[in-house]
Amino acid sequence: MKNKQAEDIFRNFLRAGKNRITPERFEVLEAALEYEGHFGADDLYILMKNFKSRVSRATVYKTLELLAQCDLLSKRNFGDNINRFESSFKRQIHDHLICVDCGKIIEFADPRIKQLPEEISEDLGFNFESYSFNIFARCKDPKKCKQSRER
Amino acid sequence: MKNKQAEDIFRNFLRAGKNRITPERFEVLEAALEYEGHFGADDLYILMKNFKSRVSRATVYKTLELLAQCDLLSKRNFGDNINRFESSFKRQIHDHLICVDCGKIIEFADPRIKQLPEEISEDLGFNFESYSFNIFARCKDPKKCKQSRER
DNA sequence: ATTGCTGCAAAACGTTTGCACCTAT
DNA sequence: ATAGGTGCAAACGTTTTGCAGCAAT
């Protein structure tokens, strides 16, 4: 019960669909919100296993999808064929710069990007849904690079 | 010998590294440049197989990577965990809008995006390498949607 | 002659699925 | 009571790898 507000959002979302409210789903929610930074579904599953959780891989994968649907998490793809998630609960919209050498991920929020996706969607005759904007670059400072492979 | 210019670029790139110049690699180059639109490595492999090519799957995968490295192709990722390629030879830089209902891919070039990635990289202390900007949206016109799953 | 490339099949990887049992409603 | 969720293992689709033989340098 660490994130009552997020839990309420999830509970309401589950009820709104015909989804059941189960302890496993809330266990995944809690673990996901506690995770610092970006994580793959399997990362979270392993972490939960290490903490002696009995929740299955299948449940973790399915629940993360639900959490992304109700915007408690955002699903990211940095071009390496891994779906990553991060908490978007109480967080502002941002994009990512990824160092192609060390894998470091920098978050940034540039006001110039903000309206672009919706405007472009309209112009092209589409209803905007979501967007992804990733920059791939290299650390200028070699001392800060190649050291870690944070994700 | 349909694309002498592209072949020269590839040949020089191969020589510059210590990569060998082989007929298989040029077979992949030709097939890739002829492909209309976006294709996965396996799509191209299957197509080549249908045309009785004897080039192996491994060679197709590896060669596409080389072609992306020398900018004859660009490698795209539309968030579905498939690496797609498209010819970038003699093409202007553009981004993509993907319909989440029918999978249709629209290309667009918005001048407002152009300098953004490099500027942001600099501001954050990185050397710009590349970027990806994808918009996910839904066709407004239902008649034009759900019909095809072009890629 | 050397070193890199090829084709093949097997393995790897993240993810999804089928199914019998269980549980929230 | 029943529809939906769970855990498990097996299957999936894409991509990578190990290796023996081959070919470009």
Side-chain angles (χ1 to χ4, degrees):
Chain A
M1 275 297 181
K2 295 192 180 171
N3 266 297
K4 189 151 173 26
Q5 204 179 335
E7 283 174 20
D8 285 347
I9 292 171
F10 194 30
R11 192 174 292 111
N12 289 335
F13 168 80
L14 290 174
R15 271 203 260 267
K18 58 222 165 185
N19 302 294
R20 286 184 181 168
I21 287 154
T22 68
E24 289 85 355
R25 286 174 170 169
F26 286 85
E27 217 184 303
V28 175
L29 168 61
E30 193 168 316
L33 291 185
E34 271 174 23
Y35 207 110
E36 295 285 321
H38 307 81
F39 57 92
D42 237 60
D43 297 333
L44 191 68
Y45 171 67
I46 303 292
L47 180 74
M48 291 175 74
K49 271 282 111 116
N50 289 343
F51 279 86
K52 309 295 176 215
S53 169
R54 275 146 289 95
V55 176
S56 71
R57 179 175 267 117
T59 298
V60 171
Y61 274 82
K62 286 172 188 165
T63 305
L64 289 175
E65 220 55 55
L66 292 170
L67 289 168
Q69 276 173 40
C70 65
D71 286 321
L72 284 167
L73 300 182
S74 22
K75 194 175 179 178
R76 309 280 186 185
N77 196 303
F78 299 136
D80 59 354
N81 293 353
I82 297 177
N83 292 319
R84 283 175 222 282
F85 296 85
E86 67 177 321
S87 170
S88 53
F89 179 57
K90 289 183 176 169
R91 296 215 49 203
Q92 72 165 336
I93 293 166
H94 60 270
D95 299 298
H96 299 82
L97 180 149
I98 301 99
C99 175
V100 295
D101 290 327
C102 70
K104 193 184 298 168
I105 296 170
I106 308 289
E107 303 183 347
F108 64 88
D110 193 301
R112 288 170 292 180
I113 295 161
K114 214 172 177 183
Q115 297 94 332
L116 242 37
E118 290 188 54
E119 276 181 41
I120 293 168
S121 299
E122 281 301 315
D123 290 352
L124 295 172
F126 288 77
N127 293 315
F128 172 73
E129 190 70 24
S130 65
Y131 79 97
S132 86
F133 181 50
N134 297 316
I135 297 176
F136 301 95
R138 296 178 195 279
C139 294
K140 275 188 178 172
D141 183 349
K143 286 193 297 297
K144 291 190 178 170
C145 195
K146 300 267 187 193
Q147 297 177 346
S148 63
R149 292 210 125 256
E150 312 170 26
R151 295 262 130 174
Chain B
M1 277 294 183
K2 296 191 179 173
N3 268 297
K4 187 149 174 27
Q5 203 179 338
E7 283 173 22
D8 285 347
I9 293 171
F10 193 30
R11 192 172 295 112
N12 290 335
F13 168 81
L14 290 175
R15 271 204 259 267
K18 59 218 165 188
N19 302 293
R20 286 182 182 169
I21 287 155
T22 68
E24 289 85 356
R25 286 175 170 171
F26 286 86
E27 218 184 303
V28 175
L29 167 61
E30 193 169 316
L33 291 185
E34 271 174 21
Y35 206 112
E36 295 285 322
H38 307 80
F39 57 93
D42 236 60
D43 297 333
L44 191 68
Y45 170 68
I46 302 292
L47 179 74
M48 291 175 74
K49 272 281 110 116
N50 290 343
F51 279 86
K52 308 297 175 213
S53 169
R54 274 146 290 96
V55 176
S56 72
R57 178 176 266 116
T59 299
V60 171
Y61 273 83
K62 287 172 189 165
T63 305
L64 289 175
E65 220 56 56
L66 292 170
L67 290 168
Q69 276 173 40
C70 65
D71 286 321
L72 285 167
L73 300 181
S74 23
K75 193 173 178 179
R76 309 281 186 186
N77 197 304
F78 300 136
D80 59 353
N81 292 354
I82 297 177
N83 291 320
R84 283 175 221 282
F85 296 85
E86 67 176 321
S87 171
S88 53
F89 179 59
K90 289 184 176 170
R91 295 214 52 201
Q92 73 165 335
I93 292 165
H94 61 270
D95 299 299
H96 298 84
L97 180 150
I98 300 100
C99 174
V100 295
D101 291 328
C102 69
K104 192 184 301 168
I105 296 170
I106 307 291
E107 303 182 348
F108 63 88
D110 193 302
R112 288 170 293 180
I113 294 163
K114 213 172 177 182
Q115 298 94 334
L116 241 38
E118 290 188 55
E119 276 181 42
I120 293 168
S121 298
E122 280 302 316
D123 291 351
L124 295 172
F126 288 77
N127 293 315
F128 173 73
E129 190 69 24
S130 65
Y131 79 97
S132 84
F133 182 51
N134 296 317
I135 298 175
F136 301 94
R138 295 176 195 280
C139 293
K140 275 189 176 169
D141 183 348
K143 286 193 296 296
K144 291 190 179 172
C145 194
K146 301 268 189 194
Q147 297 178 346
S148 63
R149 294 209 125 257
E150 311 170 27
R151 295 260 130 174

